[in-house]
Amino acid sequence: MRSLRTGLSLAALVTGAALLFTAPAAHAADTPLRDLAAAKGKLIGTAVTGSKLTGAYGDLAGSQFSSLTPGNAMKWETVEPAQGTFNWTEADQIVAFAQAHHQQVRGHTLVWHSQNPSWLTNGTWTPAQLGSLLQNHISTEVGRYKGKIAAWDVVNEPFNEDGSYRPTIWYNGLGPDYIANALTWAHAADPAAKLYINDYNVEGVDAKSTALYNLVRSLKAAGVPIDGVGLQAHLILGQVPATLQQNIQRFADLGVDVALTELDIRMALPSDSTKLAQQKADFTSVVAACVAVSRCVNVTVWGFADSDSWVDSTFPGYGAATPYDADYVPKPAYYGIAEALGGTTTTPPPTGSCTAAYSVGSQWNNGFTGQVTVSCSGASLSSWKVNWTYGAGQQITQAWNATCTQSGAAVSCANASYNGTVPDGSSVTFGFNASWSGSNPVPTVTLG
């Protein structure tokens, strides 16, 4: 449905004696989401931007997800910016990346009222001309990727909120038959691809979703090739529809697949531990509803990181809608998805809830005694490790209440067997002796 944001925030640089806890972005110890989903017979997907599929973004997109949706690369204004002139650069890039990472691709989207080129929307077309343009576009795009696209969002957002047809260039010019024709033309171009109708605010049972239900039922009765429905699932914190699973099931009972195609859950900013906990619960319930219905085949998040989300620019004052923060650190929502898929991950403490503080207790000509205090407020730890890098050649000679190692300037200290637990509202302390010469600056400390 929506455009993915193109900006990326830089990782925050923190200086001083203490650093807030962050979970490792790679979280290599956790089973990847795609493996958890596969064990449940599902796909877990994400919308992506082709130019970003390198570095940490590419690593996560490739390792965590089993399905990719081009955020903008396959929309009409991108692939046919001038009539009869096609640009496949980004779409080809995403397809190639998916093939290299053994992923499916969900094509998005062939027929929509938005993100169309001006030559199309500003033109004056007879119904015959408009139908010919649509058929040519669908046949060309679907045909190009025949055998490479597992599913297509063929028709996107055909309904108003009250269940009436949305007045668009397609409906106004061709009538409601444009939907059946688009599906038929897509099927002819690639008979193996699964064909979907996709819409938003159809997650629960209501007038709009019932209109979609009735359309799919009538298409199937008429023999039109329709394989599934896409429930976009752009949701608001704490407002997951109570009838979500029931709605998924009623579409499945029509004999079609169901996919949650554009899942994000936005919150009023700033985020805090309470909102992040609610967001985790919401993601868990949405994914669990899909897991509970055998014909719910795919859950796709609309961008996996907050730095790549459309929400902030579209809903002022709202954001933080995805499973990863802007620096690709998994949020509680990530762990909610994993748990709904049968994973046994442990959610890290909320950002800022546990800290490590370094101090120098006493100092003499060539040595000093140091101390580090690990404290928690709003979370707890069952183990901890503190890291820092010395900047003036200091060398640890002895430590107590922790096991410390030093390689060059890099120091790593892990809890002793008896003090790894740090309850909420409590702290533990360890100390050490070290040598120094000339200066003894306080290093930046990280807690992991």
Side-chain angles (χ1 to χ4, degrees), residues 4 40 54 67 125 160-161 214 226 255 284 320 337 378 429 432 435:
L4 288 173
K40 295 290 186 180
T54 59
S67 173
W125 314 105
N160 292 315
E161 295 304 301
N214 290 333
I226 172 71
T284 301
I337 295 171
T429 299
F432 54 89
S435 63

Side-chain angles (χ1 to χ4, degrees), residues 15 23 45 62 87 133 145 150 163 191 207 223 240 295 300 308 381 394:
T15 58
N87 177 7
L133 287 170
Y145 296 107
V240 176
R295 293 204 69 155
T300 290
D308 196 43
L381 293 174
Q394 301 100 315

Side-chain angles (χ1 to χ4, degrees), residues 92-174:
D92 285 354
Q93 182 182 18
I94 293 170
V95 170
F97 181 94
Q99 290 175 331
H101 292 82
H102 308 289
Q103 297 166 304
Q104 291 190 10
V105 178
R106 184 178 189 87
H108 180 83
T109 178
L110 297 171
V111 188
W112 192 25
H113 65 271
S114 185
Q115 290 187 251
N116 290 314
S118 59
W119 68 262
L120 176 65
T121 56
N122 294 336
T124 301
W125 314 105
T126 66
Q129 289 172 327
L130 191 62
S132 179
L133 287 170
L134 183 58
Q135 182 177 6
N136 179 70
H137 178 82
I138 291 173
S139 300
T140 301
E141 184 163 4
V142 177
R144 178 179 180 82
Y145 296 107
K146 182 179 180 180
K148 298 179 180 180
I149 303 291
W152 281 98
D153 291 327
V154 177
V155 177
N156 201 41
E157 301 174 6
F159 290 109
N160 292 315
E161 295 304 301
D162 64 0
S164 60
Y165 281 105
R166 182 192 293 270
T168 68
I169 182 176
W170 310 116
Y171 181 80
N172 295 343
L174 301 172

Side-chain angles (χ1 to χ4, degrees), residues 73-329:
M74 291 184 176
K75 292 173 181 173
W76 199 316
E77 71 175 1
T78 301
V79 299
E80 195 178 357
Q83 186 175 359
T85 300
F86 292 87
N87 177 7
W88 308 108
T89 303
E90 186 186 1
D92 285 354
Q93 182 182 18
I94 293 170
V95 170
F97 181 94
Q99 290 175 331
H101 292 82
H102 308 289
Q103 297 166 304
Q104 291 190 10
V105 178
R106 184 178 189 87
H108 180 83
T109 178
L110 297 171
V111 188
W112 192 25
H113 65 271
S114 185
Q115 290 187 251
N116 290 314
S118 59
W119 68 262
L120 176 65
T121 56
N122 294 336
T124 301
W125 314 105
T126 66
Q129 289 172 327
L130 191 62
S132 179
L133 287 170
L134 183 58
Q135 182 177 6
N136 179 70
H137 178 82
I138 291 173
S139 300
T140 301
E141 184 163 4
V142 177
R144 178 179 180 82
Y145 296 107
K146 182 179 180 180
K148 298 179 180 180
I149 303 291
W152 281 98
D153 291 327
V154 177
V155 177
N156 201 41
E157 301 174 6
F159 290 109
N160 292 315
E161 295 304 301
D162 64 0
S164 60
Y165 281 105
R166 182 192 293 270
T168 68
I169 182 176
W170 310 116
Y171 181 80
N172 295 343
L174 301 172
D177 287 347
Y178 84 90
I179 296 174
N181 288 336
L183 291 162
T184 301
W185 294 330
H187 180 71
D190 187 354
K194 299 290 187 180
L195 307 180
Y196 281 69
I197 300 174
N198 190 52
D199 215 327
Y200 68 95
N201 286 353
V202 292
E203 295 76 32
V205 177
D206 55 24
K208 190 175 187 181
S209 65
T210 298
L212 178 58
Y213 176 90
N214 290 333
L215 171 62
V216 172
R217 183 172 59 182
S218 66
L219 291 170
K220 284 188 67 68
V224 175
I226 172 71
D227 299 294
V229 294
L231 315 180
Q232 291 183 8
H234 293 293
L235 303 175
I236 301 172
L237 190 73
Q239 297 184 27
V240 176
T243 53
L244 173 61
Q245 184 176 326
Q246 174 190 345
N247 194 40
I248 294 172
Q249 186 66 60
R250 72 166 176 161
F251 280 107
D253 290 343
L254 287 177
V256 296
D257 292 336
V258 180
L260 303 175
T261 55
E262 304 182 19
L263 174 62
D264 50 34
I265 301 176
R266 62 186 181 270
M267 66 181 69
L269 298 174
S271 66
D272 57 34
S273 59
T274 300
K275 294 175 185 177
L276 291 172
Q278 179 64 56
Q279 187 183 54
K280 177 187 177 184
D282 290 348
F283 268 96
T284 301
S285 66
V286 171
V287 177
C290 181
V291 170
V293 180
S294 60
R295 293 204 69 155
C296 186
V297 296
N298 186 325
V299 177
T300 290
V301 294
W302 201 246
F304 60 84
D306 290 343
S307 52
D308 196 43
S309 174
W310 70 296
V311 168
D312 304 65
S313 60
T314 307
F315 300 95
Y318 284 80
T322 76
Y324 288 79
D325 72 13
D327 301 316
Y328 307 132
V329 176

Side-chain angles (χ1 to χ4, degrees), residues 330-355:
K331 294 157 53 181
Y334 165 88
Y335 297 93
I337 295 171
E339 290 166 14
L341 293 172
T344 56
T345 57
T346 300
T347 306
T351 300
S353 59
C354 295
T355 60

